[in-house]
Amino acid sequence: MIQSKISVALAVVAAMGAAASAHAVTITEWNFGSLSTVSPDNTPAPTTGSGTASSLGMTNNYTYTTGGTVTGTGSVTGDDITNDSPSGTKNGSTLGNGDVWRIRGVAGTGTTGSTNNGWNNSAPQYSQGAEFDVNTTGFSNIGLSFNWAATTQGIGNMQVQYTTDGSTWTNIGGVLSAYVDNGTTGTTGSGFQADTVDFSGIAGVSNDALFGVRLVSAYNPTLGSEYASATSVVSGTPVQYNNNSGNWRIADVMLSGTATPVPLPAAGFLLLSGLGGFGFARKRKLA
């Protein structure tokens, strides 16, 4: 009978431990479920969890050109959330609700010209794109997933970066090549691509209140120190970005992780120690 009671009690404690054990969860997600009612929408709130999103480098004083002719100077951030579901023979986001965060700039106060869309060949590599900051305290085995596309004349390459201190950014993985949004359905490289990043083996990412990721423009590996257009990247013959058009569209950004195991409640330890003492006393009595 005593052995039976101990077994049951141990099973209860095991169950308590299992309830406190690690399990994979969504920490924060942006599915951009609310269309922009006020433009610009430069810092969309997450739809699950907490965190901050912001676009990078769209406010600037760069010169914009068309065919080598200067057409404007300067840009201000002009992002928005729009529905990009497929229509007719064109591609679009088929993920979730079809909403995407459109990263771009516009001509504004203090600027000249009308073709100023924020993206620019003069921008240093890794300085334009989007940033997502998420507190990973209480989580390990951090992972990132996102979907993105560039419009036909958007910049065609991306680099994923991360930070553990909120200020120092480190590249992870290689340079990514864009798919083209609104290209003809079924053509190579059209639509949105899904990307994932595993941070589980990187020190400092778990339990980090200052963790963040950036999705930023990268020079094309073939061209060297130049940005390439998305269409040319898809075609396999990269040519320099035209310096006046295109944007990025980002959908379904999710940070996930494994919940850090919760220490066994004090009641569990008391129960185990009590059973141990009971068993010891029982043995002495039998002896």
Side-chain angles (χ1 to χ4, degrees):
M1 175 64 77
I2 293 174
Q3 183 62 41
S4 175
K5 289 182 178 179
I6 292 176
S7 298
V8 171
L10 289 175
V12 171
V13 172
M16 293 169 65
S21 64
H23 58 284
V25 297
T26 296
I27 303 172
T28 304
E29 181 178 14
W30 284 263
N31 69 17
F32 309 109
S34 298
L35 298 182
S36 297
T37 56
V38 177
S39 185
D41 193 345
N42 302 323
T43 56
T47 46
T48 300
S50 60
T52 59
S54 55
S55 63
L56 304 169
M58 296 297 109
T59 297
N60 58 64
N61 293 310
Y62 300 131
T63 297
Y64 294 82
T65 59
T66 300
T69 301
V70 174
T71 56
T73 302
S75 173
V76 296
T77 309
D79 314 306
D80 64 356
I81 296 174
T82 185
N83 188 268
D84 196 32
S85 296
S87 175
T89 60
K90 300 297 184 180
N91 279 295
S93 174
T94 59
L95 306 158
N97 53 23
D99 291 351
V100 301
W101 189 27
R102 184 163 48 180
I103 307 297
R104 60 181 184 173
V106 295
T109 303
T111 65
T112 63
S114 59
T115 63
N116 321 27
N117 77 319
W119 298 89
N120 197 282
N121 284 326
S122 295
Q125 184 174 218
Y126 313 143
S127 67
Q128 297 192 295
E131 178 177 334
F132 301 88
D133 299 303
V134 175
N135 184 345
T136 65
T137 300
F139 298 94
S140 59
N141 300 319
I142 307 302
L144 165 71
S145 62
F146 64 95
N147 297 272
W148 74 292
T151 51
T152 303
Q153 293 302 325
I155 287 178
N157 295 104
M158 173 192 285
Q159 177 64 57
V160 179
Q161 299 182 314
Y162 72 95
T163 183
T164 57
D165 62 10
S167 61
T168 305
W169 294 90
T170 303
N171 293 351
I172 182 169
V175 174
L176 304 175
S177 295
Y179 279 24
V180 176
D181 184 34
N182 294 331
T184 303
T185 300
T187 58
T188 301
S190 64
F192 278 62
Q193 67 165 298
D195 291 287
T196 59
V197 181
D198 181 6
F199 296 97
S200 60
I202 300 177
V205 171
S206 302
N207 295 298
D208 182 13
L210 299 177
F211 179 71
V213 296
R214 282 182 171 179
L215 313 178
V216 286
S217 56
Y219 293 143
N220 181 266
T222 300
L223 297 181
S225 299
E226 294 182 359
Y227 297 116
S229 70
T231 295
S232 67
V233 169
V234 171
S235 71
T237 307
V239 298
Q240 188 181 46
Y241 168 64
N242 66 14
N243 207 42
N244 67 15
S245 64
N247 60 72
W248 277 4
R249 302 180 181 200
I250 299 173
D252 297 293
V253 178
M254 183 174 69
L255 272 297
S256 60
T258 303
T260 302
V262 178
L264 190 66
F269 288 107
L270 290 174
L271 178 60
L272 280 177
S273 60
L275 287 173
F278 184 83
F280 179 72
R282 176 63 177 172
K283 287 182 179 180
R284 286 178 58 87
K285 184 175 181 180
L286 292 176

